[in-house]
Amino acid sequence: MSGGVFDSVWDDEQSEFESERRIAAQSLTKLENAFFNSGYKYGIDASKTDHMQDGFDQGIELGIQRGKEIGVVLGALVAQREIRRKLHLPEENIDSLVMRLRAIKHTAAIHQDFVKNAETVDETKQPTEAAISLIREAHETLARLDLQCR
């Protein structure tokens, strides 16, 4: 059985010092590998944690902005609807608009390119065309209703 891993350890012709040196070298190699693997795993975990936190921070900030923007418009529409009901004025398409705004999902409020890659250009931080269109329609409706009340 020549050329095996343990041949040099059990070789009767080598000195005791030489044998201990080879065993120590093998132990050192195992220890180096264990520390390397442990450090690698620690680095991967630390990197994931840092990047996940950054992504969460960016996503929560953008989500709050979108929620506030849509919430302000939605609140104004609901208030207009209630005022118009109490004054027995026509409500136009307020109910439909309120329902569509309430049904808006994060997938429409936040562009999917931003969700997939938060380091892309700023235009991905904009809402999708569907959300932009709906918000624009809500603003136009509010402006028209405001003019009617004057």
Side-chain angles (χ1 to χ4, degrees), residues 62 65-66 109-111 114 118 120-127:
L62 190 57
Q65 289 172 0
R66 287 294 167 271
I110 300 173
H111 202 282
F114 178 77
T120 56
V121 290
D122 284 342
E123 60 214 28
T124 61
K125 293 182 181 179
Q126 299 300 319

Side-chain angles (χ1 to χ4, degrees), residues 84 89-92 141-150:
R84 296 181 82 70
L89 296 172
E91 296 175 31
E92 295 190 23
T141 300
L142 285 168
R144 189 173 56 251
L145 293 173
D146 189 41
L147 287 176
Q148 288 176 0
C149 288
R150 289 183 181 186

Side-chain angles (χ1 to χ4, degrees), residues 30-104:
K30 285 182 183 179
L31 201 55
E32 285 175 347
N33 287 337
F35 278 115
F36 176 82
N37 289 338
S38 178
Y40 178 79
K41 289 175 185 176
Y42 177 79
I44 293 292
D45 287 343
S47 176
K48 282 181 183 178
T49 301
D50 288 348
H51 285 89
M52 282 192 296
Q53 187 62 49
D54 289 346
F56 176 82
D57 292 345
Q58 290 176 357
I60 196 80
E61 180 182 336
L62 190 57
I64 289 170
Q65 289 172 0
R66 287 294 167 271
K68 183 178 179 184
E69 182 179 356
I70 292 170
V72 165
V73 172
L74 186 58
L77 283 170
V78 169
Q80 277 286 346
R81 181 182 66 192
E82 294 306 312
I83 290 169
R84 296 181 82 70
R85 281 183 181 167
K86 290 191 189 275
L87 296 176
H88 304 292
L89 296 172
E91 296 175 31
E92 295 190 23
N93 65 343
I94 297 177
D95 283 334
S96 166
L97 202 48
V98 166
M99 285 178 19
R100 288 186 292 151
L101 278 169
R102 284 185 174 159
I104 201 166

